[in-house]
Structures are given as structure tokens and as C-alpha cells.
Amino acid sequence: MRIDIITLFPKSFSVFDESIISRARKNGLIDINIFDLRDYTKDKHKKVDDYNFSGGAGLLIRADVVYDAVSAIDPEHKAHRIFLTPSAPIFNQQKVQELAKFERILLLCGHYEGVDQRAIDLCFDEVVSIGKFVLTGGEIACMAVVDAVARYIDGVIAPESLKNESYANGDELEYPQFTRPREFMGLTVPEVLLSGNHAEIEKWKREQSAVMTQKVAMTGKGEEV
Ligand code: ADE
């Protein structure tokens, strides 16, 4: 999969040089390209933003700069184009799987007060928010989306891991897990996990998944819009 990211802060994407994503890049499974939005402005001071016609203190990223960047990077509109903004439907695991099917995606990170709406209307296929809160920019949201999507690219993660995790089956959450030592600070590993009885262990996992799912739903943390 090819992933193009347009941002005002290219250095923040060094996170993709670590761990699983870095390995997937080295193995040629994902091709991540970071583009600096400032490279597409015609302004001699590389200014990308301007005042907001609706008033207020913040500056907005100009439509022409975004349009020129997107047109240069994806001239034939081959990529599925996503704009990251809090004013959008909330991202979830179903969307992760949907996005992972595209051969190419392009993401634009907003910053400052946002982006001129005409750029969004003209250039983007979809808007995505990673949650009901506002970040200083779309970079962290973009990293979350790319990381989650990359896990679904063939070869990046063992297929088994994708089956046994939270949200693999609807809203069901994963059961609690334990490693050595068997006792830590007075807390012990549940006896059934040490029993070697696979049928009982499977039953325990299903039950604990249901308990976890219920617990999170009741505290409202699993709420979705
Ligand atoms: N930019 C700022 N806040 C955001 C959010 N919650 N999701 C996506 N992009 C954002």
C-alpha cells in the first residue's frame, strides 16, 4: 500500500521509523511518503495560512495551497483522500479494515484553526476524526489512522493476532492476559490459565471478554457516536 501524508510538520512522523511500521516499510509492504505543505506555496515567505473570514483569532490553511499540493502529489486522483479533522465521523476498526483495502491513500493533516472548506470539498473523498476531542493538529490523528491501517496490510502482523484482539468481533473487547511471575504484589494469575485444560481456558477467555466488554460499556468509555 502507498500512503502519502501532507503535513506542516514532517519531522513529527519519525514515529514511522520505529518498530512494526519501520519493519513493514523496510520489507516493502507499505510505502509511506511525507510531503511538506510549505513546499507547495507560491508565497516567497512559504506562508500557507491566512485570516478567517468568519473572524476569530486563528489562521486558516489556504485552499489554493492544499489544492496545489494534492494535485501535484496525486494528479490523477488515484489515492483515496482523507482529511483529518475533529468535525467528522469517528474512526473505528470497521473503517480501519475499509481503508486497508485501498492500494493508495493520501492524508492531509490540518493545523492552526483548520483548512478552508473549499479545499476539503474539492480535494477529499472523506473526513475522519479519531475522537471527540481537539488536538493541536491532525498529525497525531494521522499517525493513529496509518498505524491502525498498516496492521491490516498482509504480512505486517500475524493474522492470528488480528483475530484475537479487541474489536475483531464487533465491539467485543479482549480478555485480560498474564505472564510470569505467577504472583506479583500479592496478585496471582487465574488458576484456570495454569490448569492446562484448553477447553476451560477457552471458556474463561470468552467469559472474561464479555466481562471486560460490559465493564467498559458501563463506564461509558466504549461509547461511540
Ligand atoms: N485534528 C484535531 N483534532 C482532531 C481529531 N480529534 N481527529 C482528527 N483530526 C484532528
Side-chain angles (χ1 to χ4, degrees):
M1 177 188 239
R2 173 171 166 178
I3 302 172
D4 295 336
I5 298 168
I6 307 174
T7 172
L8 286 167
F9 299 94
K11 283 198 291 229
S12 52
F13 288 89
S14 62
V15 68
F16 292 147
D17 297 327
E18 302 286 344
S19 185
I20 293 169
I21 304 296
S22 166
R23 198 177 57 213
R25 293 176 85 177
K26 282 183 192 138
N27 291 341
L29 301 172
I30 42 176
D31 172 22
I32 301 181
N33 307 288
I34 315 287
F35 298 92
D36 189 337
L37 184 61
R38 279 186 213 286
D39 292 342
Y40 298 89
T41 170
K42 294 184 182 87
D43 181 271
K44 65 173 188 277
H45 303 293
K46 297 214 166 233
K47 194 170 147 58
V48 295
D49 50 7
D50 217 321
Y51 83 94
N52 189 333
F53 281 124
S54 16
L59 297 171
L60 284 183
I61 297 177
R62 291 168 56 110
D64 54 347
V65 181
V66 170
Y67 188 89
D68 288 349
V70 172
S71 307
I73 294 162
D74 179 26
E76 293 168 67
H77 202 152
K78 287 196 170 155
H80 181 70
R81 301 171 177 177
I82 303 155
F83 174 56
L84 296 146
T85 166
S87 308
I90 309 286
F91 194 55
N92 61 19
Q93 196 72 350
Q94 198 186 320
K95 181 58 74 181
V96 170
Q97 293 178 26
E98 225 177 280
L99 294 183
K101 295 197 179 97
F102 288 99
E103 267 176 38
R104 183 170 167 187
I105 58 174
L106 178 151
L107 304 103
L108 172 71
C109 310
H111 224 90
Y112 312 120
E113 279 305 293
V115 172
D116 186 308
Q117 185 63 36
R118 292 167 295 180
I120 302 164
D121 295 343
L122 284 168
C123 302
F124 290 86
D125 300 308
E126 180 163 27
V127 288
V128 165
S129 164
I130 62 157
K132 292 202 273 181
F133 48 85
V134 181
L135 300 161
T136 54
E139 282 73 17
I140 290 171
C142 178
M143 288 172 209
V145 169
V146 169
D147 188 278
V149 170
R151 296 177 72 253
Y152 269 84
I153 307 296
D154 278 350
V156 173
I157 295 261
E160 267 314 293
S161 309
L162 298 176
K163 275 192 224 143
N164 304 314
E165 63 181 6
S166 297
Y167 304 111
N169 304 303
D171 281 341
E172 196 175 286
L173 301 181
E174 198 171 21
Y175 46 83
Q177 297 174 88
F178 302 87
T179 182
R180 287 185 286 191
R182 288 183 178 205
E183 187 186 333
F184 178 65
M185 307 272 277
L187 300 177
T188 54
V189 176
E191 206 54 46
V192 60
L193 298 181
L194 311 172
S195 69
N197 183 333
H198 294 296
E200 282 300 312
I201 292 173
E202 284 310 311
K203 184 163 163 268
W204 180 90
K205 291 202 272 190
R206 281 195 303 276
E207 285 166 2
Q208 290 302 311
S209 261
V211 169
M212 187 68 90
T213 307
Q214 176 80 0
K215 209 156 79 181
V216 172
M218 277 167 57
T219 57
K221 287 181 188 145
E223 185 190 332
E224 198 175 285
V225 185

